Amino acid sequence: METKKDSTEDKILEAAKNVFVTKGMEGARMQEIADEAGINKALLHYYFRSKERLFEAIFTGIINMAFPKIMDILRSDAGIVTKIELVIDAYIDLLLKHPFIPGFVMKELNRDPSGLFKLVVKFGLNPRVVFDQLQEAMERGEIIRMKPQHLAANIISMCVFPFAARPILSFVMFRDDPVALEAFYSERATVIKQFVINAIVIKK
Amino acid sequence: METKKDSTEDKILEAAKNVFVTKGMEGARMQEIADEAGINKALLHYYFRSKERLFEAIFTGIINMAFPKIMDILRSDAGIVTKIELVIDAYIDLLLKHPFIPGFVMKELNRDPSGLFKLVVKFGLNPRVVFDQLQEAMERGEIIRMKPQHLAANIISMCVFPFAARPILSFVMFRDDPVALEAFYSERATVIKQFVINAIVIKK
DNA sequence: GTCTATATCATGATAGAC
DNA sequence: GTCTATCATGATATAGAC
């Protein structure tokens, strides 16, 4: 069946995503969402009972986009270094396509962390799996010893933070030169992989 | 002169900081600030003409706390590796004392980046100075070659992000165990310094 | 300087016609 | 399903007494 992609509901979801993502839950206005969708406020409440519910639809949709692919890599049977490289590639690839995600997710999780609980159980996300894999690689002498939490934090930080802090980066480092900024982001995956490997891989 | 530290103005500033920092500009309510300061709303407008002005007072106060110390280190005549270590120490030290800063600053800069411009010129902040120092150390063969922007981004990311994403870290990595979380933060400076040195220092 | 009371306005939400 | 008109609430901000 040919999905009618510009049904009213889809237009609302698209508009809501844009507004929520740039303004956040508190800053977003139902009027603005309605305008951007080309309809009126009443229809928003007809499709989604409240602003809260509309927001939840957008938020979980965005999270759904980010988690599963990473999980697949972690569950594969590649070597630890390859896994790390694949995770970095997947992360940066996602962020290049949706650079707004980090700022949005962090803002909303700081506002109301309770939503995180539901998502973690929903995805059966258990970081123990990650930490154990890192620990074993350390004990095999493949990578240097450190608390797995620190290693994970280092990698995720280098991937995510430059996107979350985009305005600062853009202005302070690149004086708002968009070409230089995009070049920088496109180089991130390569740079981070090299940086991490230099830092942790034990040469035979 | 003995400064009267609990003058009404100081009580307002203290209360406003708490509320703005946890709720953000959009989420903060003047009523809540008044309650926390033990006064009424009208007095807020008497001392600071509007919510906007009160916010600006808090925001610039917080930024003032962060920038100068880092600048001093960068202008010193220590070696590049020592400078990097000192910057990491200073950053983590500041963040341990004021862990709310990153989330707050990032949230508000994403909301309205224009304020950043004034601050950058006010502090005469020129990142070129940092990048040149790194570049020269690379050419002397002290550290590996990479774009200075990437190296700076890596270091800042590892310092700041774990604080900005505190709720995620706390729940996903440490299942809300506050002892483990605090231990993690207190180890960050040491871990990051070692990680960066492994990644970039060229052994003679 | 500090208070109470009120003006003014914007927002999320609903009622009801078509 | 979609619209116009309206409500109810809660916010910033101000007036004016003390």
Side-chain angles (χ1 to χ4, degrees), chain B residues 8 40 42-43 47:
Chain B
T8 302
N40 58 46
L43 260 194
Y47 279 93

Side-chain angles (χ1 to χ4, degrees), chain A residues 8 40 42-43 46-47:
Chain A
T8 301
N40 57 47
L43 260 194
Y46 175 80
Y47 279 92

Side-chain angles (χ1 to χ4, degrees), chain A residues 39-58:
Chain A
I39 54 159
N40 57 47
K41 279 191 298 178
L43 260 194
L44 293 181
H45 289 88
Y46 175 80
Y47 279 92
F48 303 84
R49 265 175 49 82
S50 69
K51 183 184 182 184
E52 182 68 29
R53 282 170 189 256
L54 179 53
F55 175 82
E56 284 172 18
I58 304 298

Side-chain angles (χ1 to χ4, degrees), chain B residues 79-161:
Chain B
I80 193 71
V81 175
T82 306
K83 270 189 190 177
I84 290 174
E85 290 180 316
L86 287 173
V87 166
I88 293 170
D89 279 329
Y91 242 116
I92 299 293
D93 186 59
L94 175 75
L95 294 172
L96 284 173
K97 286 179 190 146
H98 308 282
F100 57 82
I101 289 182
F104 177 65
V105 171
M106 286 174 52
K107 187 190 306 185
E108 299 309 329
L109 283 185
N110 270 298
R111 189 177 64 85
D112 174 25
S114 74
L116 187 58
F117 178 74
K118 301 169 203 159
L119 289 168
V120 170
V121 288
K122 178 183 170 191
F123 283 103
L125 178 60
N126 187 358
R128 202 65 256 163
V129 178
V130 181
F131 300 151
D132 286 347
Q133 290 186 28
L134 292 172
Q135 192 75 52
E136 287 160 19
M138 290 173 196
E139 279 157 17
R140 287 194 303 269
E142 297 175 16
I143 58 178
I144 63 168
R145 289 183 182 275
M146 62 190 296
K147 274 196 191 169
Q149 286 90 343
H150 282 295
L151 178 51
N154 286 353
I155 294 171
I156 295 170
S157 296
M158 288 189 286
C159 288
V160 176
F161 184 77

